[in-house]
Amino acid sequence: MNTKFVFGQDAQNQIGSELKQMGVKKVLIHHDNGRFLYDGGLLEQIQKQLLKEGIESLELGGVQPNPRLALVREGIHLAKKEQVDMVLAIGGGSVIDSAKAISLGAVTDLDVWDFFTGTEAPERSLPTGVILTCPATGSESSDVTVINHAELGKKLLVSSPVIRPAIAFMNPELTCSLPPFLTACGVTDMFSHVCERYFAPDSEIGVIDRMAEGILKTLVDIGPKVLKEPDSYAYRAEIMWIGSIAHNDTVGIGRVQDWATHEIGNELSALYDTPHGATLSIIMGSWMKYVYTEKPERFARYAKEVFGVEWTGDNTLEAAFQGILKTEEYFRSMGMPVSFKDFRIPTDEVNKMLDQIAFRGEDDSIGGIKRLNREDCRRIFEAAF
């Protein structure tokens, strides 16, 4: 990986010196206009550090959850006009994804959306820097960016090593003021990122499996605790680092990965602007119930190692199903929805969401542990009602 991590208390205080060493001269600071930027003086602090080191900066705020293509295009225009040599994201996954997309589009005359539709392949990008304030997506060190084309109702991604951030400043103290729901959404996203890799058609991969189980078990343990003790540096630090390793492929090595939960859930975000973490908690249990008989031993092992369900070898299907129920119970304990009804999402636009899923391959399907066609996805949506 080419991401440099600066992790710990006051990590953000090293931004001026670190960027100077990288040869950065002009930065586009990208953010969501959140009050946290101003109430604690974080934005001003960053700007002063840059100025001290002779680095110019300009701002583009306004990032929304499920970041919009329109703002990305505005950022690309600004980055080109001002000839910036880094885009610096201050925020969580939405801000970072938007910054990555701006960095990608700033070095080409092509329309950046062409990279998301797969018409064009990325070759280079401006360096992206990150000051992480909302751990969730792992975007601070992943090679993925997800953008919402609101006019088309499409939420698509680009995956390429060239968009992996150059540097990430990670101070857990900056996350202590996060509202409980955003914290829970972040933990859910991390949990799902590991599950998308763990529930695969592959046979056991020893150390990778155990690492994945360790991450999931840690999230089950400290997820509810961080909601009760939001100022705990220890819990916030664990959560922050797990966000990175859950999605930079540390536990995806050698895997045929699944991603059906994300692909199905993303359509809730695209159509209803549902928070990403909530889409995953809504869909995951129904997806698990639909596919677990394809690999019951894998689900039974998950139940045993993550939730402590007794698995003797003679009760594989029962243990596997108990693990699924424990998963939904865990999400509920975090205040997360596990159905459309829990989040008051309409149930009459399933066809519209199915139309947007990128079914592919000779079988016109998605998923890894079980290939899912349009009708399979319909049943998963309906099971989640």
PDB file of all heavy atoms in Angstrom, residues 314-331:
ATOM      1  N   ASP A 314     -22.866 -31.453  14.364  1.00  0.00           N
ATOM      2  CA  ASP A 314     -24.142 -32.132  14.090  1.00  0.00           C
ATOM      3  C   ASP A 314     -25.297 -31.137  13.957  1.00  0.00           C
ATOM      4  O   ASP A 314     -26.417 -31.539  13.614  1.00  0.00           O
ATOM      5  CB  ASP A 314     -24.459 -33.128  15.208  1.00  0.00           C
ATOM      6  CG  ASP A 314     -23.431 -34.241  15.293  1.00  0.00           C
ATOM      7  OD1 ASP A 314     -22.926 -34.650  14.227  1.00  0.00           O
ATOM      8  OD2 ASP A 314     -23.120 -34.679  16.423  1.00  0.00           O
ATOM      9  N   ASN A 315     -25.045 -29.884  14.297  1.00  0.00           N
ATOM     10  CA  ASN A 315     -26.115 -28.878  14.280  1.00  0.00           C
ATOM     11  C   ASN A 315     -25.740 -27.710  13.368  1.00  0.00           C
ATOM     12  O   ASN A 315     -26.012 -26.555  13.682  1.00  0.00           O
ATOM     13  CB  ASN A 315     -26.383 -28.363  15.697  1.00  0.00           C
ATOM     14  CG  ASN A 315     -25.198 -27.601  16.276  1.00  0.00           C
ATOM     15  OD1 ASN A 315     -24.048 -27.827  15.878  1.00  0.00           O
ATOM     16  ND2 ASN A 315     -25.458 -26.691  17.211  1.00  0.00           N
ATOM     17  N   THR A 316     -25.101 -28.004  12.246  1.00  0.00           N
ATOM     18  CA  THR A 316     -24.541 -26.955  11.399  1.00  0.00           C
ATOM     19  C   THR A 316     -25.581 -25.941  10.938  1.00  0.00           C
ATOM     20  O   THR A 316     -25.381 -24.727  11.088  1.00  0.00           O
ATOM     21  CB  THR A 316     -23.835 -27.577  10.178  1.00  0.00           C
ATOM     22  OG1 THR A 316     -22.753 -28.398  10.636  1.00  0.00           O
ATOM     23  CG2 THR A 316     -23.284 -26.501   9.257  1.00  0.00           C
ATOM     24  N   LEU A 317     -26.690 -26.407  10.387  1.00  0.00           N
ATOM     25  CA  LEU A 317     -27.697 -25.476   9.882  1.00  0.00           C
ATOM     26  C   LEU A 317     -28.303 -24.647  11.004  1.00  0.00           C
ATOM     27  O   LEU A 317     -28.517 -23.430  10.854  1.00  0.00           O
ATOM     28  CB  LEU A 317     -28.795 -26.241   9.138  1.00  0.00           C
ATOM     29  CG  LEU A 317     -28.423 -26.776   7.757  1.00  0.00           C
ATOM     30  CD1 LEU A 317     -29.555 -27.627   7.200  1.00  0.00           C
ATOM     31  CD2 LEU A 317     -28.119 -25.630   6.802  1.00  0.00           C
ATOM     32  N   GLU A 318     -28.564 -25.281  12.131  1.00  0.00           N
ATOM     33  CA  GLU A 318     -29.137 -24.556  13.272  1.00  0.00           C
ATOM     34  C   GLU A 318     -28.165 -23.510  13.792  1.00  0.00           C
ATOM     35  O   GLU A 318     -28.542 -22.360  14.068  1.00  0.00           O
ATOM     36  CB  GLU A 318     -29.485 -25.536  14.395  1.00  0.00           C
ATOM     37  CG  GLU A 318     -30.090 -24.857  15.625  1.00  0.00           C
ATOM     38  CD  GLU A 318     -30.302 -25.829  16.779  1.00  0.00           C
ATOM     39  OE1 GLU A 318     -30.132 -27.045  16.565  1.00  0.00           O
ATOM     40  OE2 GLU A 318     -30.633 -25.355  17.873  1.00  0.00           O
ATOM     41  N   ALA A 319     -26.898 -23.897  13.932  1.00  0.00           N
ATOM     42  CA  ALA A 319     -25.890 -22.947  14.427  1.00  0.00           C
ATOM     43  C   ALA A 319     -25.727 -21.789  13.458  1.00  0.00           C
ATOM     44  O   ALA A 319     -25.621 -20.623  13.877  1.00  0.00           O
ATOM     45  CB  ALA A 319     -24.556 -23.666  14.622  1.00  0.00           C
ATOM     46  N   ALA A 320     -25.709 -22.100  12.162  1.00  0.00           N
ATOM     47  CA  ALA A 320     -25.568 -21.052  11.153  1.00  0.00           C
ATOM     48  C   ALA A 320     -26.707 -20.049  11.253  1.00  0.00           C
ATOM     49  O   ALA A 320     -26.495 -18.827  11.234  1.00  0.00           O
ATOM     50  CB  ALA A 320     -25.528 -21.672   9.761  1.00  0.00           C
ATOM     51  N   PHE A 321     -27.934 -20.549  11.389  1.00  0.00           N
ATOM     52  CA  PHE A 321     -29.093 -19.661  11.462  1.00  0.00           C
ATOM     53  C   PHE A 321     -29.075 -18.836  12.742  1.00  0.00           C
ATOM     54  O   PHE A 321     -29.435 -17.658  12.739  1.00  0.00           O
ATOM     55  CB  PHE A 321     -30.390 -20.467  11.365  1.00  0.00           C
ATOM     56  CG  PHE A 321     -31.593 -19.609  11.084  1.00  0.00           C
ATOM     57  CD1 PHE A 321     -31.811 -19.089   9.819  1.00  0.00           C
ATOM     58  CD2 PHE A 321     -32.500 -19.314  12.094  1.00  0.00           C
ATOM     59  CE1 PHE A 321     -32.908 -18.291   9.562  1.00  0.00           C
ATOM     60  CE2 PHE A 321     -33.601 -18.523  11.849  1.00  0.00           C
ATOM     61  CZ  PHE A 321     -33.810 -18.002  10.574  1.00  0.00           C
ATOM     62  N   GLN A 322     -28.631 -19.426  13.846  1.00  0.00           N
ATOM     63  CA  GLN A 322     -28.516 -18.673  15.098  1.00  0.00           C
ATOM     64  C   GLN A 322     -27.520 -17.528  14.950  1.00  0.00           C
ATOM     65  O   GLN A 322     -27.710 -16.451  15.499  1.00  0.00           O
ATOM     66  CB  GLN A 322     -28.093 -19.601  16.238  1.00  0.00           C
ATOM     67  CG  GLN A 322     -29.192 -20.514  16.747  1.00  0.00           C
ATOM     68  CD  GLN A 322     -30.394 -19.725  17.264  1.00  0.00           C
ATOM     69  OE1 GLN A 322     -30.249 -18.790  18.045  1.00  0.00           O
ATOM     70  NE2 GLN A 322     -31.583 -20.117  16.820  1.00  0.00           N
ATOM     71  N   GLY A 323     -26.462 -17.767  14.186  1.00  0.00           N
ATOM     72  CA  GLY A 323     -25.497 -16.704  13.946  1.00  0.00           C
ATOM     73  C   GLY A 323     -26.097 -15.532  13.194  1.00  0.00           C
ATOM     74  O   GLY A 323     -25.773 -14.365  13.458  1.00  0.00           O
ATOM     75  N   ILE A 324     -27.000 -15.841  12.265  1.00  0.00           N
ATOM     76  CA  ILE A 324     -27.683 -14.782  11.514  1.00  0.00           C
ATOM     77  C   ILE A 324     -28.587 -13.982  12.439  1.00  0.00           C
ATOM     78  O   ILE A 324     -28.605 -12.734  12.405  1.00  0.00           O
ATOM     79  CB  ILE A 324     -28.487 -15.383  10.349  1.00  0.00           C
ATOM     80  CG1 ILE A 324     -27.547 -16.096   9.374  1.00  0.00           C
ATOM     81  CG2 ILE A 324     -29.290 -14.304   9.634  1.00  0.00           C
ATOM     82  CD1 ILE A 324     -28.255 -16.929   8.321  1.00  0.00           C
ATOM     83  N   LEU A 325     -29.337 -14.676  13.295  1.00  0.00           N
ATOM     84  CA  LEU A 325     -30.200 -13.980  14.254  1.00  0.00           C
ATOM     85  C   LEU A 325     -29.374 -13.120  15.209  1.00  0.00           C
ATOM     86  O   LEU A 325     -29.774 -12.004  15.568  1.00  0.00           O
ATOM     87  CB  LEU A 325     -31.035 -14.990  15.044  1.00  0.00           C
ATOM     88  CG  LEU A 325     -32.020 -15.842  14.236  1.00  0.00           C
ATOM     89  CD1 LEU A 325     -32.802 -16.767  15.166  1.00  0.00           C
ATOM     90  CD2 LEU A 325     -32.976 -14.965  13.430  1.00  0.00           C
ATOM     91  N   LYS A 326     -28.207 -13.629  15.617  1.00  0.00           N
ATOM     92  CA  LYS A 326     -27.308 -12.863  16.493  1.00  0.00           C
ATOM     93  C   LYS A 326     -26.797 -11.604  15.788  1.00  0.00           C
ATOM     94  O   LYS A 326     -26.599 -10.568  16.420  1.00  0.00           O
ATOM     95  CB  LYS A 326     -26.132 -13.728  16.922  1.00  0.00           C
ATOM     96  CG  LYS A 326     -26.470 -14.874  17.861  1.00  0.00           C
ATOM     97  CD  LYS A 326     -26.651 -14.396  19.273  1.00  0.00           C
ATOM     98  CE  LYS A 326     -26.807 -15.565  20.250  1.00  0.00           C
ATOM     99  NZ  LYS A 326     -27.025 -15.094  21.645  1.00  0.00           N
ATOM    100  N   THR A 327     -26.578 -11.714  14.485  1.00  0.00           N
ATOM    101  CA  THR A 327     -26.128 -10.559  13.713  1.00  0.00           C
ATOM    102  C   THR A 327     -27.176  -9.461  13.734  1.00  0.00           C
ATOM    103  O   THR A 327     -26.867  -8.285  13.981  1.00  0.00           O
ATOM    104  CB  THR A 327     -25.819 -10.973  12.260  1.00  0.00           C
ATOM    105  OG1 THR A 327     -24.853 -12.027  12.256  1.00  0.00           O
ATOM    106  CG2 THR A 327     -25.287  -9.794  11.454  1.00  0.00           C
ATOM    107  N   GLU A 328     -28.424  -9.836  13.470  1.00  0.00           N
ATOM    108  CA  GLU A 328     -29.504  -8.839  13.492  1.00  0.00           C
ATOM    109  C   GLU A 328     -29.697  -8.271  14.896  1.00  0.00           C
ATOM    110  O   GLU A 328     -29.951  -7.063  15.068  1.00  0.00           O
ATOM    111  CB  GLU A 328     -30.799  -9.472  12.987  1.00  0.00           C
ATOM    112  CG  GLU A 328     -30.747  -9.822  11.506  1.00  0.00           C
ATOM    113  CD  GLU A 328     -32.043 -10.395  10.979  1.00  0.00           C
ATOM    114  OE1 GLU A 328     -32.696 -11.186  11.700  1.00  0.00           O
ATOM    115  OE2 GLU A 328     -32.414 -10.046   9.849  1.00  0.00           O
ATOM    116  N   GLU A 329     -29.558  -9.120  15.888  1.00  0.00           N
ATOM    117  CA  GLU A 329     -29.661  -8.667  17.284  1.00  0.00           C
ATOM    118  C   GLU A 329     -28.565  -7.655  17.601  1.00  0.00           C
ATOM    119  O   GLU A 329     -28.791  -6.659  18.293  1.00  0.00           O
ATOM    120  CB  GLU A 329     -29.552  -9.880  18.208  1.00  0.00           C
ATOM    121  CG  GLU A 329     -29.708  -9.585  19.688  1.00  0.00           C
ATOM    122  CD  GLU A 329     -29.552 -10.853  20.519  1.00  0.00           C
ATOM    123  OE1 GLU A 329     -30.121 -11.895  20.139  1.00  0.00           O
ATOM    124  OE2 GLU A 329     -28.848 -10.791  21.541  1.00  0.00           O
ATOM    125  N   TYR A 330     -27.366  -7.908  17.090  1.00  0.00           N
ATOM    126  CA  TYR A 330     -26.244  -6.992  17.297  1.00  0.00           C
ATOM    127  C   TYR A 330     -26.533  -5.637  16.654  1.00  0.00           C
ATOM    128  O   TYR A 330     -26.334  -4.584  17.285  1.00  0.00           O
ATOM    129  CB  TYR A 330     -24.974  -7.598  16.715  1.00  0.00           C
ATOM    130  CG  TYR A 330     -23.818  -6.645  16.593  1.00  0.00           C
ATOM    131  CD1 TYR A 330     -23.237  -6.061  17.729  1.00  0.00           C
ATOM    132  CD2 TYR A 330     -23.296  -6.314  15.345  1.00  0.00           C
ATOM    133  CE1 TYR A 330     -22.176  -5.174  17.608  1.00  0.00           C
ATOM    134  CE2 TYR A 330     -22.234  -5.434  15.226  1.00  0.00           C
ATOM    135  CZ  TYR A 330     -21.681  -4.868  16.360  1.00  0.00           C
ATOM    136  OH  TYR A 330     -20.627  -3.993  16.240  1.00  0.00           O
ATOM    137  N   PHE A 331     -27.025  -5.644  15.431  1.00  0.00           N
ATOM    138  CA  PHE A 331     -27.348  -4.377  14.777  1.00  0.00           C
ATOM    139  C   PHE A 331     -28.408  -3.610  15.577  1.00  0.00           C
ATOM    140  O   PHE A 331     -28.304  -2.392  15.756  1.00  0.00           O
ATOM    141  CB  PHE A 331     -27.844  -4.621  13.350  1.00  0.00           C
ATOM    142  CG  PHE A 331     -26.772  -5.062  12.384  1.00  0.00           C
ATOM    143  CD1 PHE A 331     -27.088  -5.874  11.304  1.00  0.00           C
ATOM    144  CD2 PHE A 331     -25.449  -4.675  12.552  1.00  0.00           C
ATOM    145  CE1 PHE A 331     -26.106  -6.285  10.408  1.00  0.00           C
ATOM    146  CE2 PHE A 331     -24.454  -5.080  11.659  1.00  0.00           C
ATOM    147  CZ  PHE A 331     -24.797  -5.881  10.592  1.00  0.00           C
TER     148      PHE A 331
END
